[in-house]
Amino acid sequence: MLAYRLLQAQMQPEFQEVPDPHAGPGQVVVRVAGSGLCHTDFTVISRDRQYWKTDGPPFTLGHEIAGWVEEVGTGVTKFKNGDAVAVNPSWASCGRCHMCRSGEENHCLYQKAIRAPGVGYDGGHAPYVLVPEERFLVPIGDLDPVFAAPLTDAGITTYSAIKPALPAIWPGSTVVVIGVGGLGLYAVQFLRLLTGARVVALDRSEPRLKLAREYGADDVVSIGPNAVEQLRELTGGIGAIFIIDCVGANETLTTAVASLSWRGRLTMVGADGGSVPFGFFKVPPGAQLTTSLNGGSIALMDVVQMAALGRLKILVDRYPLDAAKKGYDDFEHGRLVGRAVLMPLVSEVKSTGGERSAAQAAGAP
Ligand SMILES: [Zn+2]
Ligand SMILES: [Zn+2]
């Protein structure tokens, strides 16, 4: 099969012919319906050889995967051929610690490094992917796997960041989503679905802010020198009780801390590499600052169920697998609004409607 692979550290990925995978004991081969493109992929490509230790390239990219079970190894009992599944990417998790057994495999206490399909293991940018254990599969029922693919990272990352904040968000309080691209549009929707708070979207791009309104944002604010002042005004001076930063740059984090209320919570999911000082009177008293990375199998089940009920709008730009380079190029140059998903079996995927192209969404011709 032809796979889109990182052949060497810090080199541009290439298509390469590799053998079709087969399922050994306990393993499952999934026929890939959709494999999402993610900002993390650029980080993966940029890592130097030393970072990888023994798990370095070559490997196939793609960690946001959904499709159908194609082959099960001996001992696999909970899934059978043809089952529609999404793939939990926390493949370096142990499966037996407290976190893993709570469905938070992303926080496994014994994982030695962040490894996942497309991050050390062969991933989903190929017609088939070998899943090392059946516990990484989540059934998706009738949900189109192309929509399920981005839920396995973009969806659960924002959901897992929001869920622990819920008890402290009261109706009428203000919550803020910074950066309403592929991640942030999920955050806007989860906050609308799960809270009674006023949802404010912050972004630099006007078309994205327009889209955020369509996805349920009550107010929008342009990122810039007046953003903090505007947010303070919107909240009658008290600030936001919860802020999710889907960018994670110095500027967005600084804006977030300055806009947070006393005892507010700021969670950073964007991986832009920014940081912000933490200390007495450097953040509002009682404030909680957290990061959040990916999610776990329970979070994936939750977001799959919300999508299956039709409660989530999932914005997907569909690319055939052989257009992978173009997909990443569009991503890198800001030509996507939603999530780009590669489809190795493009002619066999049935659209269930509901998706829109990025170009339409952004108001382009
Ligand atoms: Zn991702
Ligand atoms: Zn564990």
Side-chain angles (χ1 to χ4, degrees), residues 4-291:
Y4 193 61
R5 292 163 65 79
L6 182 64
L7 299 178
Q8 276 183 54
Q10 296 177 312
M11 297 279 284
Q12 281 312 302
E14 295 288 341
F15 281 100
Q16 188 183 38
E17 189 66 31
V18 294
D20 287 3
H22 288 287
Q27 299 176 331
V28 178
V29 172
V30 170
R31 184 172 174 230
V32 179
S35 184
L37 270 52
C38 180
H39 194 272
T40 300
D41 300 334
F42 297 111
T43 311
V44 168
I45 294 163
S46 73
R47 299 281 194 200
D48 64 25
R49 188 64 194 81
Q50 265 184 318
Y51 169 87
W52 292 108
K53 303 195 175 88
T54 56
D55 306 327
F59 55 78
T60 303
L61 289 169
H63 58 268
E64 303 187 351
I65 307 164
W68 303 275
V69 171
E70 174 77 13
E71 187 188 319
V72 297
T74 54
V76 171
T77 57
K78 294 172 187 70
F79 292 89
K80 60 179 190 318
N81 288 14
D83 285 352
V85 291
V87 179
N88 171 0
S90 295
W91 287 5
S93 62
C94 75
R96 47 190 275 186
C97 76
H98 195 94
M99 296 301 174
C100 283
R101 292 200 166 173
S102 308
E104 278 188 63
E105 298 88 349
N106 55 316
H107 293 147
C108 172
L109 302 170
Y110 297 102
Q111 56 194 327
K112 292 182 182 68
I114 294 168
R115 295 290 184 266
V119 188
Y121 291 90
D122 281 334
H125 291 357
Y128 301 98
V129 63
L130 180 63
V131 179
E133 295 176 53
E134 65 178 318
R135 69 184 171 96
F136 299 125
L137 301 180
V138 165
I140 61 169
D142 294 335
L143 182 66
D144 181 344
V146 175
F147 291 139
L151 297 181
T152 63
D153 187 23
I156 60 176
T157 294
T158 45
Y159 178 76
S160 304
I162 289 165
K163 201 177 171 190
L166 293 178
I169 298 173
W170 62 88
S173 62
T174 298
V175 296
V176 175
V177 178
I178 302 183
V180 278
L183 284 176
L185 288 175
Y186 287 110
V188 167
Q189 295 184 81
F190 291 134
L191 287 165
R192 275 301 297 257
L193 284 166
L194 302 169
T195 78
R198 181 217 314 250
V199 180
V200 182
L202 236 83
D203 203 291
R204 204 177 293 289
S205 146
E206 286 304 321
R208 278 198 214 143
L209 289 176
K210 190 166 166 274
L211 200 59
R213 274 200 190 275
E214 287 172 28
Y215 275 65
D218 298 288
D219 286 293
V220 300
V221 170
S222 277
I223 293 180
N226 300 322
V228 173
E229 203 180 313
Q230 284 183 52
L231 280 169
R232 288 271 159 200
E233 254 171 50
L234 280 172
T235 57
I238 64 173
I241 192 68
F242 176 67
I243 300 179
I244 178 167
D245 185 351
C246 302
V247 181
N250 288 335
E251 186 196 356
T252 56
L253 288 167
T254 304
T255 300
V257 168
S259 310
L260 203 60
S261 74
W262 285 38
R263 220 215 57 198
R265 180 179 175 111
L266 163 62
T267 299
M268 168 184 179
V269 298
D272 212 43
S275 61
V276 77
F278 178 76
F280 260 107
F281 309 117
K282 293 201 185 319
V283 301
Q288 303 171 49
L289 272 61
T290 71
T291 60

